[in-house]
Amino acid sequence: MTRKKVKLAYIEDLSSRKATFRKRKAGLMKKMYEISTLCGVDACAIIYSPFNNEPQVWPSNEGVQDVLSKFEELCEIDQSKQKLNQDSFLRQRIRKTDEQLKKQIRLNREKELSQIMYRLLSGEILHNLSIDDVNDLQTKMVRFRKDITMRIHSLEEAEGHPINGN
Amino acid sequence: MTRKKVKLAYIEDLSSRKATFRKRKAGLMKKMYEISTLCGVDACAIIYSPFNNEPQVWPSNEGVQDVLSKFEELCEIDQSKQKLNQDSFLRQRIRKTDEQLKKQIRLNREKELSQIMYRLLSGEILHNLSIDDVNDLQTKMVRFRKDITMRIHSLEEAEGHPINGN
DNA sequence: TGAGCTATGTATAATTT
DNA sequence: TAAATTATACATAGCTC
């Protein structure tokens, strides 16, 4: 029942640490309640513990969310010069990913063109094997190949650099 | 120097309220420091006061942001039944868009195959126009077309459904 | 205003149940 | 384990400067 002055350092012993945590957490929550009642202020606290799965909060889960949304709002306004906050960062990332996706889809459509042309062309070859058609076919193919090559080049230039996954 | 038991109610008098706030806030911050040191836990507190423009926080502005981002993350997991919050909604959207993008890129690579084959093939046709090669070429093309058609079909089945932009 | 000072109430370490 | 107890350290109301 004697008590020496508590040494302010991590309590190595698990059970004493746990006991201390439980007691002090209760005390802290009480103090939070008192200051907000006595002084009429909004306040919240969040404490993570290895002993509880859920974070320990005051005044309540919802109360905390209210208070911290207010906090984040203030941070956003005040820290406009600082780095973008999480939310706008995410939005920015979405925008970029969306743009990439749209480019890929556009690119795909172009590639599908040459794919379809290949199919048509090979079909054409297969069903028009007479020697008389070869010169005509050759002309068609030269034109088509030139066209496709140009399309691909202009696409690649538009992309600037190859797009890689992730 | 006498002190009666403090009545737990809003302190009407401004200056005493302010004094009480200042003292108790300091006490609270000290207790926060103590519990986190003694028990090795993450914790934060935010207190709004009409006396300070900025919200009073522990351990620091950045520390609070770290702790509360963790808190929000946990909330997401726990409140899976509730509506998704803005942040996780955005994250989810990013993940989905990323997945779509990866699919598109994969699809593109496969399509590039047939595109390259087309180029090779048309080059081959253009430079091997002797009648003697036609039968040989025809055999090659039949095999190639079959192969490509199968590839495309299996790709389309693997995708399940057509991918559309946005 | 706020800082410093006690007297007293409160929180809590150590201990038992 | 966690609740209850109790002695002691600590926080702080009320005061002065």
Side-chain angles (χ1 to χ4, degrees):
Chain A
M1 284 165 200
T2 50
R3 178 156 74 103
K4 60 184 171 198
K5 183 175 172 177
V6 67
K7 200 182 122 204
L8 215 76
Y10 181 72
I11 299 165
E12 297 292 344
D13 180 59
L14 175 68
S15 57
S16 349
R17 193 167 67 247
K18 207 165 176 176
T20 294
F21 178 76
R22 191 168 11 89
K23 287 179 186 179
R24 280 178 176 265
K25 180 170 70 68
L28 218 36
M29 298 301 181
K30 192 184 173 197
K31 293 266 178 208
M32 289 297 286
Y33 169 69
E34 288 177 354
I35 199 173
S36 71
T37 304
L38 290 166
C39 308
V41 297
D42 281 333
C44 79
I46 307 171
I47 304 171
Y48 292 96
S49 76
F51 317 119
N52 305 83
N53 285 329
E54 310 241 320
Q56 306 291 296
V57 299
W58 190 91
S60 67
N61 229 291
E62 298 73 38
V64 168
Q65 295 210 11
D66 288 349
V67 172
L68 62 84
S69 75
K70 194 170 154 191
F71 173 72
E72 286 180 331
E73 211 176 287
L74 286 177
C75 281
E76 280 177 38
I77 296 162
D78 290 349
Q79 301 172 354
S80 54
K81 294 155 210 161
Q82 288 188 28
K83 76 166 168 54
L84 293 166
N85 68 35
Q86 189 70 348
D87 197 70
S88 74
F89 173 75
L90 292 180
R91 287 181 182 287
Q92 205 174 320
R93 202 176 137 200
I94 283 178
R95 219 195 53 242
K96 283 178 182 169
T97 318
D98 270 347
E99 276 167 13
Q100 253 193 321
L101 183 61
K102 277 173 193 162
K103 270 185 191 173
Q104 282 290 321
I105 289 165
R106 250 190 300 123
L107 198 58
N108 250 0
R109 294 229 172 94
E110 298 294 340
K111 281 181 177 166
E112 267 164 17
L113 244 181
S114 74
Q115 197 178 46
I116 289 160
M117 283 304 275
Y118 156 72
R119 284 164 157 180
L120 288 171
L121 204 53
S122 62
E124 194 173 358
I125 292 163
L126 291 168
H127 301 304
N128 295 282
L129 289 173
S130 71
I131 300 150
D132 300 335
D133 291 323
V134 167
N135 280 330
D136 192 43
L137 188 59
Q138 183 180 6
T139 313
K140 277 186 193 170
M141 287 186 79
V142 168
R143 212 173 335 169
F144 178 61
R145 192 162 71 142
K146 216 182 251 170
D147 185 51
I148 285 291
T149 306
M150 273 171 60
R151 269 174 179 280
I152 288 161
H153 269 105
S154 72
L155 259 171
E156 281 170 354
E157 262 174 44
E159 297 301 336
H161 54 81
I163 293 155
N164 53 60
N166 205 18
Chain B
M1 287 171 198
T2 51
R3 176 156 74 103
K4 61 185 173 196
K5 186 176 169 178
V6 67
K7 199 181 122 202
L8 216 77
Y10 181 73
I11 298 165
E12 297 292 343
D13 179 59
L14 176 68
S15 58
S16 349
R17 191 166 68 250
K18 206 164 175 176
T20 293
F21 178 76
R22 190 168 14 87
K23 287 179 184 180
R24 280 178 175 264
K25 181 170 69 69
L28 217 36
M29 298 301 180
K30 191 184 173 196
K31 292 266 178 209
M32 291 296 287
Y33 169 68
E34 288 178 354
I35 199 173
S36 71
T37 303
L38 290 167
C39 307
V41 298
D42 281 334
C44 79
I46 307 171
I47 304 170
Y48 292 95
S49 75
F51 316 120
N52 305 83
N53 285 328
E54 308 242 320
Q56 306 292 297
V57 299
W58 190 92
S60 68
N61 229 289
E62 298 71 39
V64 168
Q65 296 210 12
D66 288 349
V67 172
L68 60 85
S69 75
K70 195 169 155 191
F71 172 73
E72 286 178 332
E73 213 175 287
L74 287 176
C75 281
E76 281 175 39
I77 296 160
D78 291 348
Q79 300 171 356
S80 54
K81 295 155 208 159
Q82 289 187 26
K83 72 161 173 54
L84 293 165
N85 69 33
Q86 188 68 351
D87 197 70
S88 77
F89 174 75
L90 293 180
R91 284 178 185 290
Q92 206 173 321
R93 205 177 136 200
I94 283 179
R95 219 195 53 244
K96 283 179 181 168
T97 317
D98 269 346
E99 277 166 13
Q100 257 192 320
L101 183 60
K102 277 174 195 162
K103 271 187 190 174
Q104 282 290 323
I105 289 166
R106 251 190 298 123
L107 197 59
N108 252 0
R109 295 232 170 92
E110 298 294 339
K111 282 181 178 166
E112 268 164 13
L113 245 181
S114 73
Q115 196 178 49
I116 289 160
M117 284 305 275
Y118 155 73
R119 284 166 157 180
L120 288 172
L121 203 53
S122 62
E124 195 173 359
I125 291 162
L126 290 168
H127 301 304
N128 295 283
L129 288 174
S130 71
I131 300 150
D132 300 335
D133 293 325
V134 168
N135 279 330
D136 193 43
L137 190 58
Q138 183 179 6
T139 313
K140 278 186 190 166
M141 288 186 79
V142 168
R143 214 172 332 166
F144 178 61
R145 192 161 70 143
K146 217 182 249 170
D147 184 53
I148 284 290
T149 307
M150 273 171 58
R151 271 174 178 281
I152 288 161
H153 270 105
S154 72
L155 258 172
E156 280 169 354
E157 262 173 45
E159 296 301 335
H161 52 81
I163 293 155
N164 52 61
N166 207 16

